[in-house]
């Protein structure tokens, strides 16, 4: 970035009145400086991400953030906010592009962050379905589905059974609803 900075500095230290051409050259030098800075930042980020330990740490933090987003949304009854934008927002939060986030996540976990998000939602759905007090419609709403039919269809794709069938098979009125089953 030094050459662009020196050029910009030289252009702005002129004591005579600036002509239109002079101002355009200053703008050009400023844009060149911004381009050089951007290139430097990207190359530094790539160097940082090329270290396996940093890649794993970043990916673990992304995974934790995805899980916290789902958990928080369900607890606040606002899972409607849990959507495709979750991954984009989390990638932005950690200063990486969405494609870099997907690539790193796939590299470390062997699945996409979107699949990880779906797995967390499925785990939460199974947990909530064990509570016979909660209607399936309410669970559907808690998980951010616009209607019970969409939730039921997706749950069946995930597990091969409807939410009601899952509940009948695995809900135990005496059990702690946080207890994990063999399906987790």
């Amino acid at each position: 970035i030094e050459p662009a900075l020196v050029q910009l500095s030289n252009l702005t230290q002129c004591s005579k009145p600036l002509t239109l051409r002079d101002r355009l050259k200053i703008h050009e030098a400023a844009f060149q400086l911004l381009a050089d800075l951007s290139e430097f930042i990207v190359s530094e980020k790539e160097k940082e991400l090329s270290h396996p330990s940093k890649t794993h740490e970043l990916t673990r933090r992304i995974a934790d953030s995805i899980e916290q987003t789902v958990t928080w949304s369900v607890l606040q009854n606002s899972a409607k906010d849990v959507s495709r934008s979750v991954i984009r927002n989390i990638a932005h939060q950690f200063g990486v592009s969405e494609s870099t986030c997907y690539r790193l996540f796939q590299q470390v976990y062997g699945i996409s962050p979107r699949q990880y998000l779906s797995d967390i939602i499925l785990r939460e759905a199974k947990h909530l379905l064990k509570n016979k007090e909660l209607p399936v419609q309410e669970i559907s709403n808690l998980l951010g589905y616009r209607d019970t039919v969409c939730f039921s269809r997706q749950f069946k794709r995930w597990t091969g059974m409807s939410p009601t069938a899952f509940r009948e098979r695995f809900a135990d009125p005496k059990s702690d609803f946080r207890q994990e089953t063999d399906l987790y």
Side-chain angles (χ1 to χ4, degrees):
I1 63 172
E2 188 177 346
L5 192 56
V6 169
Q7 182 182 10
L8 183 60
S9 176
N10 290 340
L11 288 170
T12 56
Q13 292 181 1
C14 184
S15 60
K16 64 180 182 170
L18 297 175
T19 65
L20 177 60
R21 182 182 175 144
D22 293 334
R23 284 188 236 155
L24 288 173
K25 284 188 175 202
I26 290 171
H27 285 283
E28 179 185 11
F31 284 124
Q32 185 60 50
L33 178 61
L34 289 174
D36 291 348
L37 278 171
S38 296
E39 192 173 309
F40 174 75
I41 290 169
V42 166
S43 69
E44 288 299 306
K45 190 59 110 172
E46 286 175 352
K47 283 180 196 173
E48 183 181 309
L49 293 176
S50 67
H51 298 287
S53 62
K54 291 192 183 218
T55 299
H56 284 59
E57 173 62 20
L58 173 63
T59 309
R60 185 195 56 74
R61 289 174 53 209
I62 290 170
D64 289 347
S65 191
I66 291 170
E67 190 154 1
Q68 288 171 358
T69 299
V70 172
T71 304
W72 176 255
S73 296
V74 170
L75 288 174
Q76 296 301 311
N77 194 13
S78 63
K80 291 168 183 59
D81 299 335
V82 177
S83 66
R84 277 191 159 347
S85 64
V86 168
I87 308 303
R88 183 177 334 119
N89 293 342
I90 290 172
H92 179 72
Q93 173 187 339
F94 289 104
V96 296
S97 69
E98 196 173 348
S99 60
T100 299
C101 178
Y102 271 83
R103 182 177 49 80
L104 293 175
F105 210 92
Q106 182 73 38
Q107 183 181 12
V108 172
Y109 288 103
I111 60 173
S112 72
R114 183 75 182 139
Q115 179 61 48
Y116 185 73
L117 177 63
S118 292
D119 290 348
I120 293 168
I121 292 170
L122 171 60
R123 185 179 68 210
E124 193 64 32
K126 288 177 177 180
H127 169 74
L128 293 169
L129 283 166
K130 290 180 184 179
N131 181 348
K132 287 191 173 191
E133 303 291 316
L134 285 174
V136 173
Q137 182 177 356
E138 187 175 339
I139 293 170
S140 171
N141 290 337
L142 285 171
L143 294 173
Y145 287 87
R146 65 180 176 266
D147 61 44
T148 308
V149 174
C150 289
F151 168 67
S152 296
R153 191 176 299 132
Q154 183 61 45
F155 191 85
K156 189 163 186 165
R157 278 189 211 119
W158 283 332
T159 63
M161 63 178 73
S162 70
T164 306
F166 177 88
R167 173 175 273 168
E168 289 170 0
R169 184 169 178 195
F170 293 101
D172 180 1
K174 295 178 249 168
S175 73
D176 177 2
F177 297 121
R178 295 174 192 248
Q179 183 180 14
E180 294 187 357
T181 68
D182 59 334
L183 289 179
Y184 280 114

